[in-house]
Amino acid sequence: MATAAAAARRSCVRQLQAALLRVLCLIPTGLPVRSVDMQRTTDNITIRQGDTAVIRCYVDDKVSKVAWLNRSNIIFAGEDKWSLDPRVDLIIKGQLEYSLRIQKVDVYDEGPYTCSIQTKQQPKTSQVYLIVQVPANIYKVSEDITVNEGSNVTLSCLANGRPEPSITWRLLNPSAEPLEGEEYLDISGILRTQAGRYECKASNDVANPDVKYVNVVVNYPPYIKDAKSSETQVGRLGVLQCDASAVPKPEFEWYRDEKRLTNSQGISIQIFGTRTLLLVSNVTEDDYGNYTCVATNRLGVHNASLFLYRPGTGRDISGSACLTQSLWILLASITCLFFKC
């Protein structure tokens, strides 16, 4: 691409050289004398889209004719404006400067500009190539999406600008580390921990980066992460608590043995988002026992067992479990010693 750009510039220069002879013949004599501060090589001026470009041309008192050209088009011949573009004008300071000003520069202004003069000896030129840079702009990005855990996900972020912008991705979790991906970010077998707000940033150092966001929701089945039993005296309020994690938000049910519980005399079921409480008012002996919390959504079901027990019995139950485990360990040790394992 660099070779093609260089060839295009050489072609423009040849066109300018051919046009110069025509222009200098068209400029009348007797204009205020202006000459160019000559540079034989073509300079580059880099300007940002929307800014004002000033292409300098300095003069002395040894010249009778001067003009500005863009490619083969005449912009100014002396002080006569040939261009119809209202954004273009001259900056003239006495007899020392003959500069071209272009306001609100756009990409179509890019190209070669030539300040041409006629001296008594020969025509001379000063050539400048105007390069227009365009800030990075994201023109298309994925919409917010909702997927099931384990799905393959591709997020897209398309941007343009001059020079070509680079694109980076981040998941805005606490670490917000860069992700591997450019225009397309591929996520294989997405996990619930990969849900969140994804940031796409396009930058080319012309202006501040352009940033867009994509929200990704990952559905997954319920998981009861905390279940709290209750040690309650007779006549007091018993509270069983069940916390679940799920997307979409889970629905809860409570069971006593095989019987589903509902709000009734002495029983109150409360739900707060992903938490549910079973309230047993004025606990009686018949209320003690095993309860089951069930969390469901369209992707699955999970349950947990909880206990409402009288003070003291909870320790006995736990103690029995610990004692049973200890007895098994002791028995295994004795057996191992007996058989010399």
Side-chain angles (χ1 to χ4, degrees), residues 36-50:
V36 68
D37 182 14
M38 283 302 303
Q39 295 180 354
R40 294 184 178 275
T41 58
T42 300
D43 292 331
N44 291 338
I45 294 180
T46 300
I47 192 76
R48 184 172 61 182
Q49 184 184 41

Side-chain angles (χ1 to χ4, degrees), residues 82-202:
W82 289 44
S83 171
L84 299 178
D85 193 336
R87 301 173 303 128
V88 179
D89 64 352
L90 285 175
I91 298 176
I92 299 176
K93 295 182 179 179
Q95 297 181 357
L96 299 178
E97 184 173 358
Y98 185 75
S99 298
L100 183 69
R101 178 167 55 195
I102 307 172
Q103 301 181 58
K104 297 181 180 179
V105 169
D106 211 335
V107 291
Y108 52 77
D109 296 314
E110 184 168 297
Y113 290 79
T114 300
C115 179
S116 174
I117 65 161
Q118 176 67 57
T119 66
K120 295 179 181 178
Q121 291 79 19
Q122 60 183 357
K124 297 181 180 179
T125 61
S126 176
Q127 296 173 351
V128 173
Y129 198 93
L130 184 65
I131 299 172
V132 180
Q133 293 187 331
V134 180
N137 173 59
I138 298 174
Y139 63 88
K140 185 176 182 181
V141 67
S142 293
E143 296 181 353
D144 296 345
I145 60 170
T146 299
V147 297
N148 293 340
E149 189 172 39
S151 301
N152 295 329
V153 176
T154 298
L155 304 180
S156 63
C157 181
L158 306 181
N160 53 24
R162 300 175 69 173
E164 192 75 19
S166 62
I167 298 175
T168 57
W169 288 91
R170 292 192 305 166
L171 171 57
L172 299 182
N173 54 19
S175 63
E177 295 179 356
L179 303 173
E180 293 185 4
E182 294 183 358
E183 290 185 335
Y184 298 95
L185 177 66
D186 294 318
I187 307 171
S188 299
I190 193 168
L191 304 174
R192 64 191 70 179
T193 55
Q194 293 174 295
R197 196 180 195 201
Y198 285 78
E199 175 195 81
C200 168
K201 180 185 291 185

Side-chain angles (χ1 to χ4, degrees), residues 54-65:
V54 176
I55 308 175
R56 301 289 180 181
C57 184
Y58 296 101
V59 300
D60 57 32
D61 58 356
K62 300 177 182 179
V63 178
S64 59
K65 298 179 181 180

